[in-house]
Amino acid sequence: MLLRWGQLSIRMFQALEEIDLQDWRQPAATDSTEAVQALEAGSVLFFPRLAFQLSEAERAYLTPSVLAKSKNVSFNPATGKASGTSLTGEAQEGLARMMSRFSESAKELIEGLVPVYRGRIGLGRTSFRPAEIAGRASSWRKNDTLLHIDAFPSTPTRGNRILRLFCNVNPDGKPRVWRVGEPFERVAEKFAPTLRRPAWGSSALLQLFGVTKSRRTEYDHLMLQLHDEMKQDTRYQTEVSQTECRFPSGSAWAVFVDSVSHAALSGQHQLEQTFYLPLPAMHEESMSPLRILERRLGRKLA
């Protein structure tokens, strides 16, 4: 929903924005302006009929036994290699081909749906998550069933956006169940006053010793704190306004995970593609977490 005041258009927050697509290669009929405004305002773009079809051979990979010790298989589109899997030889290559095909379809969908991002969005890693989320043992920091925003300890984004496209390929028809929390502006309002500046010289040391792949900005430092503060605050987890979203098998959804508070409660067999979007490529840069935190704290963060 759009509210107009003079020349300014403001999209009212809603957790899901449903888009009826069935073809990964033909999203052009969708209103791209509406789609990008919803996405950047913090809604989840939900495609209830956008299934990713698997061949009979690929269905054999829908088992937790394909995992090694990690919770997901990771595919690097730049190298064409899959890691984190127990498979070897032809089976590993077949899994990599399936994930590569998904990666290509995801990129084609996003660039077709949001033309303003075309040629400017960076392709990150592809993940396959064949294990059930519910009941999985983990530390509180790695517990994805708690509301959080995404921030990467080893890979600073320096303010660039983290966009992900997910697809539920569960062969038994089970949904992927999420909770979506309040808009990032409200998250920042609550937690920003408690966030601490990084220690002087810490970013250079982290890069020097290989803890981070590039220099961590103050923005990256604060986002990591925000991720942890949200997960540790048990009262916030139970009392904050949140919406349950059930993504059925055969559906897909896209969301900026660095600004949309989310938690994955249950589900098994999911494909996901990560994209990185430079801040200037956004339709409305002021909606980014970097600009929101800068306005609230009154200083440059990256």
Side-chain angles (χ1 to χ4, degrees), residues 38-39 67 94 111 118 121 164 170 186 206 211 219 247 255 264 282:
L39 192 61
L67 294 171
E111 291 195 332
R118 187 178 296 134
I121 198 164
R164 279 187 171 151
N170 192 292
R186 294 179 193 164
L206 288 170
V211 177
Y219 167 77
F247 302 108
V255 59
M282 288 186 67

Short mmCIF file of all heavy atoms in Angstrom, two decimals, residues 38-39 67 94 111 118 121 164 170 186 206 211 219 247 255 264 282:
data_model
loop_
_atom_site.label_atom_id
_atom_site.label_comp_id
_atom_site.label_asym_id
_atom_site.label_seq_id
_atom_site.Cartn_x
_atom_site.Cartn_y
_atom_site.Cartn_z
N ALA A 38 8.34 -2.33 -2.44
CA ALA A 38 7.97 -3.25 -1.37
C ALA A 38 9.21 -3.91 -0.78
O ALA A 38 9.37 -4.02 0.44
CB ALA A 38 7.00 -4.31 -1.91
N LEU A 39 10.11 -4.34 -1.65
CA LEU A 39 11.32 -5.03 -1.22
C LEU A 39 12.18 -4.11 -0.34
O LEU A 39 12.61 -4.50 0.75
CB LEU A 39 12.11 -5.47 -2.45
CG LEU A 39 13.28 -6.45 -2.27
CD1 LEU A 39 12.81 -7.76 -1.67
CD2 LEU A 39 13.95 -6.69 -3.61
N LEU A 67 24.86 -33.92 3.73
CA LEU A 67 25.65 -32.97 4.50
C LEU A 67 26.88 -33.63 5.09
O LEU A 67 26.87 -34.82 5.45
CB LEU A 67 24.81 -32.38 5.64
CG LEU A 67 23.63 -31.49 5.24
CD1 LEU A 67 22.79 -31.17 6.47
CD2 LEU A 67 24.12 -30.21 4.58
N GLY A 94 26.90 -33.67 -9.55
CA GLY A 94 25.48 -33.56 -9.86
C GLY A 94 24.77 -32.58 -8.92
O GLY A 94 23.93 -31.79 -9.36
N GLU A 111 16.82 -10.03 -11.64
CA GLU A 111 17.13 -8.98 -12.61
C GLU A 111 15.95 -8.70 -13.54
O GLU A 111 15.80 -7.58 -14.02
CB GLU A 111 18.37 -9.36 -13.42
CG GLU A 111 19.64 -9.34 -12.58
CD GLU A 111 20.90 -9.36 -13.42
OE1 GLU A 111 20.86 -9.91 -14.54
OE2 GLU A 111 21.92 -8.83 -12.94
N ARG A 118 19.67 -4.71 -12.46
CA ARG A 118 20.33 -5.50 -13.50
C ARG A 118 21.73 -4.96 -13.79
O ARG A 118 21.93 -3.77 -13.99
CB ARG A 118 19.51 -5.51 -14.78
CG ARG A 118 20.05 -6.46 -15.86
CD ARG A 118 19.17 -6.45 -17.09
NE ARG A 118 17.84 -6.96 -16.79
CZ ARG A 118 16.71 -6.40 -17.19
NH1 ARG A 118 16.74 -5.26 -17.87
NH2 ARG A 118 15.54 -6.93 -16.89
N ILE A 121 23.98 -5.95 -9.46
CA ILE A 121 23.89 -6.83 -8.30
C ILE A 121 24.95 -7.91 -8.38
O ILE A 121 25.23 -8.46 -9.45
CB ILE A 121 22.46 -7.44 -8.22
CG1 ILE A 121 22.20 -7.99 -6.82
CG2 ILE A 121 22.23 -8.48 -9.29
CD1 ILE A 121 20.73 -8.25 -6.56
N ARG A 164 18.41 -12.02 -0.40
CA ARG A 164 18.38 -13.47 -0.58
C ARG A 164 17.06 -13.90 -1.21
O ARG A 164 16.00 -13.38 -0.89
CB ARG A 164 18.58 -14.19 0.76
CG ARG A 164 20.04 -14.28 1.16
CD ARG A 164 20.24 -15.13 2.38
NE ARG A 164 21.66 -15.35 2.61
CZ ARG A 164 22.21 -15.56 3.80
NH1 ARG A 164 21.45 -15.60 4.88
NH2 ARG A 164 23.50 -15.75 3.93
N ASN A 170 10.71 -28.98 -0.65
CA ASN A 170 10.38 -30.14 0.17
C ASN A 170 9.51 -31.13 -0.61
O ASN A 170 8.44 -30.77 -1.11
CB ASN A 170 9.64 -29.69 1.43
CG ASN A 170 9.52 -30.79 2.46
OD1 ASN A 170 8.83 -31.77 2.25
ND2 ASN A 170 10.22 -30.62 3.57
N ARG A 186 12.31 0.58 13.59
CA ARG A 186 11.93 0.35 14.99
C ARG A 186 12.98 -0.48 15.72
O ARG A 186 13.23 -0.27 16.91
CB ARG A 186 10.57 -0.33 15.06
CG ARG A 186 9.43 0.54 14.55
CD ARG A 186 8.11 -0.19 14.63
NE ARG A 186 7.08 0.51 13.87
CZ ARG A 186 5.93 -0.04 13.51
NH1 ARG A 186 5.65 -1.29 13.85
NH2 ARG A 186 5.04 0.65 12.82
N LEU A 206 41.82 -7.27 12.84
CA LEU A 206 40.98 -8.39 12.39
C LEU A 206 41.32 -8.79 10.96
O LEU A 206 41.37 -9.98 10.63
CB LEU A 206 39.50 -8.01 12.49
CG LEU A 206 38.92 -7.91 13.90
CD1 LEU A 206 37.53 -7.29 13.86
CD2 LEU A 206 38.87 -9.28 14.56
N VAL A 211 40.83 -12.76 10.31
CA VAL A 211 39.51 -12.97 10.89
C VAL A 211 38.44 -12.45 9.94
O VAL A 211 37.37 -13.05 9.80
CB VAL A 211 39.40 -12.29 12.27
CG1 VAL A 211 37.99 -12.46 12.84
CG2 VAL A 211 40.44 -12.86 13.22
N TYR A 219 29.92 0.40 10.65
CA TYR A 219 28.61 -0.14 10.32
C TYR A 219 28.59 -1.66 10.52
O TYR A 219 27.67 -2.21 11.15
CB TYR A 219 28.24 0.20 8.88
CG TYR A 219 27.06 -0.57 8.35
CD1 TYR A 219 25.76 -0.22 8.71
CD2 TYR A 219 27.23 -1.66 7.48
CE1 TYR A 219 24.67 -0.92 8.22
CE2 TYR A 219 26.15 -2.36 6.99
CZ TYR A 219 24.87 -1.99 7.37
OH TYR A 219 23.79 -2.71 6.90
N PHE A 247 5.64 -20.71 4.13
CA PHE A 247 5.99 -20.77 2.71
C PHE A 247 5.87 -22.23 2.26
O PHE A 247 6.69 -23.07 2.62
CB PHE A 247 7.41 -20.27 2.50
CG PHE A 247 7.63 -18.85 2.98
CD1 PHE A 247 8.37 -18.60 4.12
CD2 PHE A 247 7.08 -17.78 2.29
CE1 PHE A 247 8.57 -17.30 4.57
CE2 PHE A 247 7.26 -16.48 2.74
CZ PHE A 247 8.02 -16.24 3.87
N VAL A 255 13.97 -11.41 0.04
CA VAL A 255 13.95 -10.46 1.14
C VAL A 255 15.35 -9.91 1.39
O VAL A 255 16.34 -10.61 1.21
CB VAL A 255 13.39 -11.13 2.42
CG1 VAL A 255 14.22 -12.34 2.82
CG2 VAL A 255 13.28 -10.15 3.57
N ALA A 264 13.62 -18.44 11.35
CA ALA A 264 13.16 -19.65 10.67
C ALA A 264 12.84 -20.70 11.73
O ALA A 264 13.73 -21.17 12.42
CB ALA A 264 14.23 -20.16 9.71
N MET A 282 20.34 1.07 -5.14
CA MET A 282 19.00 0.99 -4.59
C MET A 282 18.08 2.03 -5.23
O MET A 282 18.53 3.11 -5.63
CB MET A 282 19.03 1.22 -3.07
CG MET A 282 19.61 0.09 -2.26
SD MET A 282 19.43 0.41 -0.47
CE MET A 282 17.64 0.34 -0.27
#
